[in-house]
Amino acid sequence: MAKKVAVLVGSLRKASYTKQIAQNIINLLPDDFEAEIIEIGNLPFYNEEYDEGTTPESYTTFRNKISGMDAVIFATPEYNRSVPAVLKNALDVGSRPYGKSAWNNKPAVIISTSIGAISGFGANHHLRQSLTFLNMPVVQQPEAYIGNVASLLNEDGIVTDEGTIGFLQSIVDAFVNLVNKY
Ligand SMILES: Cc1cc2nc3c(=O)[nH]c(=O)nc-3n(C[C@H](O)[C@H](O)[C@H](O)COP(=O)(O)O)c2cc1C
């Protein structure tokens, strides 16, 4: 049976480089992996009161969607050396109600991007910290830091450099290996 993969992108920009990298990653997945980019920009900021009263429909839809997935790809830019709020919010929403986290035990990979040379290291590792708590096994190697991202994409959002494609494929291969162990 095909493995279902949620793809979460930590940028809401239509022209997001990170989203373009995520699409390149999706294109490298094997045929028995079905990936879907999941909307996170529509989730209101998490408030525990929502889970004590009327839960927003967007929360329920999101939680059900993640629960039905086998694995998760996180592709994120770095904001102020950390994870963009929209992605952290999605993690928080999916982690509740207490004891019913949609993330539990789902294998994952983190791909950080940056227009600069430091490659989103801060975002990558802050996200890794949260995923440890959320009990998500995460690809350890290769570490997926994509720096100078703008220069890697052509006008159609495609990575054309053979070395970079090979690197993205090695990330995908490690992710596929991890997912197939679960
Ligand atoms: C609020 C904000 C904070 C940022 N902080 C960082 C940062 O800490 N490190 C970094 O490499 N780039 C930082 N950037 C630049 C992003 O790498 C750049 O805007 C990138 O294009 C965002 O990814 P996207 O193209 O997927 O939207 C920041 C951008 C914004 C808007």
Side-chain angles (χ1 to χ4, degrees), residues 129-177:
Q129 179 172 313
S130 293
L131 301 196
T132 299
F133 181 68
L134 293 170
N135 196 32
M136 301 180 79
V138 182
V139 169
Q140 301 296 325
Q141 294 290 342
E143 294 166 280
Y145 310 118
I146 314 290
N148 301 310
V149 64
S151 68
L152 299 175
L153 296 156
N154 72 11
E155 59 192 18
D156 298 319
I158 305 293
V159 175
T160 55
D161 175 67
E162 286 300 323
T164 307
I165 294 169
F167 179 55
L168 296 184
Q169 186 67 65
S170 71
I171 296 163
V172 167
D173 291 349
F175 174 65
V176 167
N177 279 338

Side-chain angles (χ1 to χ4, degrees), residues 71-101:
V72 187
I73 293 173
F74 293 96
T76 187
E78 178 175 80
Y79 278 7
N80 298 310
R81 295 281 181 261
S82 188
V83 181
V86 70
L87 182 55
K88 180 59 166 60
N89 186 53
L91 276 186
D92 295 340
V93 170
S95 72
R96 295 286 155 144
Y98 185 77
K100 292 186 179 165
S101 170

